Amino acid sequence: QLQNILDRDANLDIPLSTVKDWHSSWHEAYPGIKELNARAETQATKRGYVRMWNGRRRHLEGRDCFKAFNSIIQGGIGQVLVYTINEIAQQYPELQMVCSVHDSIQFYLREDEVLDWIPKIVKLMEKIPTEQFGIPFIVDWKYWSNNA
């Protein structure tokens, strides 16, 4: 499947043996991932759902249970983004958020206010409840000028 994706999406013609080597190497480097994936799939099969870090459930049935681990990771990050957007909107209603894409949030800011706003936004974004993750959320940022 990975070989087909690389060929279709990246126009890379990579031998199946090479792709299998990459796959094996990745699982050797991160041995717990395969186990976590299996546990998530088993949970989804038994319960019909998996639970995100914030308690939200992602319902999966039948053949879709293989998506359980990915749902926890990507769905969980999506919930982090929703949480953050709501916090920013509540604390800084004067900010003009333009959009969010995957794991980023974009704002329109006046250039003379960018360096005042960035620390406030970063501090709020890094404040996500992280006790259950055991790691801090580190936020990086960039800004682009309309003059660039």
Side-chain angles (χ1 to χ4, degrees):
Q1 188 178 16
L2 178 58
Q3 183 187 29
N4 292 335
I5 292 168
L6 290 170
D7 186 39
R8 180 192 70 217
D9 296 348
N11 201 24
L12 297 173
D13 184 21
I14 299 174
L16 182 58
S17 60
T18 302
V19 173
K20 285 182 177 181
D21 288 344
W22 290 349
H23 187 261
S24 295
S25 296
W26 193 86
H27 280 289
E28 286 172 18
Y30 305 101
I33 297 293
K34 193 177 260 188
E35 179 188 335
L36 288 172
N37 187 38
R39 283 179 36 201
E41 187 172 346
T42 299
Q43 262 188 358
T45 302
K46 286 180 181 176
R47 292 191 211 160
Y49 67 88
V50 290
R51 192 181 308 273
M52 311 286 173
W53 65 273
N54 63 347
R56 181 176 175 264
R57 292 179 181 185
R58 166 81 195 279
H59 293 273
L60 299 161
E61 296 177 2
R63 292 180 45 171
D64 285 340
C65 289
F66 79 94
K67 300 175 183 176
F69 181 69
N70 188 56
S71 294
I72 293 168
I73 301 301
Q74 288 188 331
I77 292 301
Q79 293 301 300
V80 167
L81 195 59
V82 167
Y83 175 90
T84 302
I85 288 169
N86 286 327
E87 286 293 307
I88 290 170
Q90 286 177 3
Q91 292 195 31
Y92 303 118
E94 66 274 28
L95 276 179
Q96 186 179 3
M97 187 179 76
V98 179
C99 68
S100 67
V101 178
H102 299 292
D103 62 352
S104 68
I105 303 173
Q106 298 174 10
F107 299 92
Y108 281 138
L109 299 170
R110 289 184 22 191
E111 268 193 90
D112 61 332
E113 295 179 345
V114 168
L115 295 179
D116 293 330
W117 275 110
I118 295 298
K120 294 175 189 175
I121 295 168
V122 167
K123 183 178 180 182
L124 192 116
M125 291 177 78
E126 289 181 342
K127 196 179 83 172
I128 186 98
T130 59
E131 305 81 42
Q132 64 200 61
F133 297 110
I135 57 171
F137 274 65
I138 306 299
V139 174
D140 65 344
W141 60 273
K142 295 180 180 103
Y143 100 91
W144 292 268
S145 168
N146 284 338
N147 300 324

